[in-house]
């Protein structure tokens, strides 16, 4: 039975999920855990203090007891660029050469400073009847990746694959059945994952990513607003946020906290609406629904604000509802508490399975690591 560990290095915590895949192909969650990190260890989705991240990872592996130190890691920040492209049908080596030849026009990063790869999406026929392949070209800045690799090596972890975090979200949450098609063709679903410092927005059709946007806004701005409103430090503000979620604040403080949430969530919702609106208008497709996940999705009124701004269905995602749950050592209550945090690491772990049709997986390891 094959086992894969997906690792999500977030702003305030490292999280990992171990999945096993049996002969029936259905994944089972075997282990999940997270360990908090001090402020400043990761900033805007990038590792800033590798030693602090290494320490958190060592503790995570020690406390959870994963069966392997081989991991599939995800990246998603402002130093990762994703661009769609259409190329004539050709084999992988020729595709890579063609993409590298066009890289200057596609990618705003000097090729020598980037790790470049691509993900095939689908094979099609263009208006002239010629076979083409649609791809997503992904480039990540090399120094950002090297700092991430340094943190993993400091924890004695080895990298099997460097994947794109939004791809993990699609694997974990995408509805790929034909119920997503109406008379006009496939309907697009959006997945919005709100973290502390980063929000990932991805639109897919039947599991095929069409649009990816990574925003450097998240729930952290709400924490900062609560700290200012209540004149306390960040740790105290996190406590206020937890009390708000659990209904433990008195009426006056609840009103104050909700006002901060409403004020601070506005810019993030505007960015999400603008990103989705651009894609819908540009591609002329209909948005069926938005799946909301991530720690920031727990905040009150977030779903209501999105629902009002987008005028579409907004539902809370359940990544654990799509897989079996094994003997994780977690109670049912604990599993409910971590469900919205498990989407990214679970989806990254799923990248370890052989791809349907033998399609190659995205691999953003620096060459010296690969």
């Amino acid at each position: 039975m094959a086992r894969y560990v997906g690792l999500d290095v977030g702003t305030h915590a490292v999280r990992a999920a171990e999945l096993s895949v049996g002969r029936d192909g259905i994944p089972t969650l075997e282990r999940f855990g997270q360990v908090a990190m001090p402020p400043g260890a990761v900033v805007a989705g990038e590792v800033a203090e590798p030693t602090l991240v290494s320490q958190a990872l060592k503790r995570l592996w020690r406390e959870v007891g994963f069966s392997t130190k081989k991991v599939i890691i995800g990246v998603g920040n402002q130093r990762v660029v994703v661009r769609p492209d259409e190329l004539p049908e050709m084999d992988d080596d020729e595709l890579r050469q063609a993409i590298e030849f066009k890289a200057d026009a596609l990618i705003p990063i000097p090729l020598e400073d980037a790790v470049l790869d691509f993900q095939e999406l689908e094979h099609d026929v263009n208006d002239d009847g010629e076979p083409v392949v649609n791809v997503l070209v992904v480039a990540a800045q090399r120094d950002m990746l090297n700092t991430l690799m340094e943190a993993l090596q400091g924890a004695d972890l080895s990298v099997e694959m460097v994947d794109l975090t939004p791809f993990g979200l699609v694997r974990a949450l995408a509805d790929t059945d034909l119920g997503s098609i109406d008379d006009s063709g496939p309907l697009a679903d959006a997945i919005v994952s709100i973290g502390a410092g980063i929000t990932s927005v991805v639109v897919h059709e039947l599991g095929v990513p069409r649009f990816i946007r990574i925003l450097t806004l998240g729930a952290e701005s709400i924490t900062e607003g609560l700290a200012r409103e209540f004149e306390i430090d960040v740790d105290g503000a996190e406590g206020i946020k937890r009390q708000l979620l659990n209904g433990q604040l008195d009426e006056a403080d609840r009103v104050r906290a909700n006002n901060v949430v409403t004020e601070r969530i506005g810019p993030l919702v505007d960015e999400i609406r603008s990103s989705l609106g651009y894609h819908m208008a540009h591609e002329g497709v209909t948005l069926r629904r938005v799946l909301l996940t991530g720690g920031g999705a727990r905040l009150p009124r977030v779903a209501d604000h999105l629902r009002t701004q987008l005028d579409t269905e907004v539902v809370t995602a359940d990544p654990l509802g799509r897989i079996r749950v094994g003997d994780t050592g977690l109670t049912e209550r604990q599993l409910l508490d971590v469900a919205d945090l498990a989407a990214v690491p679970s989806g990254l772990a799923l990248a370890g399975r052989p791809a349907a049709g033998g399609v190659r997986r995205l691999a953003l390891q620096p060459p010296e690591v690969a």
Side-chain angles (χ1 to χ4, degrees):
M1 182 179 293
R3 289 182 176 241
Y4 311 100
V5 176
L7 175 60
D8 175 26
V9 177
T11 302
H12 294 314
V14 288
R15 303 179 184 93
E18 180 174 342
L19 271 60
S20 65
V21 182
R23 291 182 178 179
D24 61 5
I26 299 176
T28 298
L29 179 68
E30 303 288 358
R31 292 284 185 273
F32 175 84
Q34 63 176 341
V35 164
M37 291 186 299
V42 173
V43 178
E46 297 181 45
V47 173
E49 296 290 345
T51 301
L52 295 179
V53 176
S54 297
Q55 291 170 352
L57 289 170
K58 286 181 178 178
R59 181 182 161 198
L60 178 62
W61 252 251
R62 185 171 62 249
E63 292 184 355
V64 179
F66 297 107
S67 67
T68 177
K69 288 192 171 184
K70 296 180 179 179
V71 300
I72 299 169
I73 182 78
V75 292
N77 54 56
Q78 290 293 291
R79 301 182 75 189
V80 179
V81 178
V82 184
R83 295 287 187 271
D85 198 15
E86 180 184 277
L87 293 159
E89 187 83 54
M90 59 184 82
D91 64 31
D92 278 356
D93 289 339
E94 292 173 325
L95 269 177
R96 178 173 293 279
Q97 292 175 14
I99 289 169
E100 289 179 352
F101 181 75
K102 298 175 65 176
D104 286 343
L106 285 172
I107 303 296
I109 306 173
L111 198 54
E112 62 272 15
D113 297 334
V115 175
L116 184 72
D117 203 20
F118 63 94
Q119 179 69 57
E120 289 185 31
L121 299 182
E122 59 192 355
H123 296 262
D124 204 349
V125 176
N126 64 15
D127 294 340
D128 297 325
E130 299 167 338
V132 294
V133 57
N134 294 314
V135 301
L136 281 180
V137 180
V138 183
Q141 292 200 346
R142 189 180 299 270
D143 59 346
M144 179 271 294
L145 289 173
N146 285 334
T147 305
L148 175 61
M149 296 301 106
E150 181 185 344
L152 299 180
Q153 290 162 3
D156 299 320
L157 301 179
S158 62
V159 179
E160 287 193 302
M161 188 185 306
V162 179
D163 195 17
L164 198 61
T165 297
F167 284 0
L169 289 168
V170 171
R171 281 189 215 99
L173 301 173
D175 182 2
T176 58
D177 63 39
L178 296 182
S180 300
I181 296 179
D182 69 3
D183 293 339
S184 62
L187 294 174
D189 280 1
I191 300 171
V192 176
S193 177
I194 304 175
I198 291 288
T199 294
S200 298
V201 180
V202 54
V203 178
H204 71 90
E205 295 173 10
L206 299 179
V208 178
R210 299 297 186 188
F211 172 79
I212 291 171
R213 179 68 54 82
I214 297 168
L215 308 173
T216 53
L217 287 171
E220 200 170 42
S221 67
I222 294 171
T223 305
E224 293 168 354
L226 290 171
R228 184 173 293 110
E229 171 67 23
F230 288 89
E231 298 181 345
I232 52 179
D233 61 18
V234 171
D235 287 340
E238 286 289 346
I240 291 287
K241 195 159 62 174
R242 285 192 296 271
Q243 290 174 322
L244 176 63
L245 292 173
N246 296 328
Q248 297 172 334
L249 292 178
D250 62 36
E251 178 65 17
D253 285 346
R254 185 181 63 79
V255 170
R256 292 171 66 191
N258 274 328
N259 287 340
V260 171
V261 172
T262 299
E263 176 189 351
R264 291 300 181 110
I265 204 66
L268 174 59
V269 171
D270 286 345
E271 287 286 346
I272 295 169
R273 177 186 54 77
S274 175
S275 298
L276 292 175
Y278 167 81
H279 176 71
M280 296 300 109
H282 188 263
E283 297 299 326
V285 295
T286 302
L287 187 64
R288 182 178 69 148
R289 63 176 180 174
V290 174
L291 288 176
L292 193 58
T293 189
R298 302 176 177 185
L299 291 166
R301 304 187 181 183
V302 173
D304 290 339
H305 278 281
L306 275 174
R307 196 174 292 113
T308 300
Q309 289 288 329
L310 299 173
D311 192 26
T312 192
E313 182 184 14
V314 178
V315 297
T316 301
D318 179 18
L320 300 186
R322 306 170 64 88
I323 60 177
R324 295 192 187 106
V325 177
D327 184 14
T328 62
L330 301 175
T331 66
E332 287 190 19
R333 176 64 184 176
Q334 288 172 324
L335 284 169
L336 285 173
D337 287 343
V338 302
D340 51 6
L341 305 175
V344 170
S346 296
L348 292 171
L350 289 173
R353 298 185 302 177
V359 177
R360 65 189 295 280
R361 294 287 197 203
L362 183 78
L364 290 172
Q365 291 101 316
E368 59 273 19
V369 173

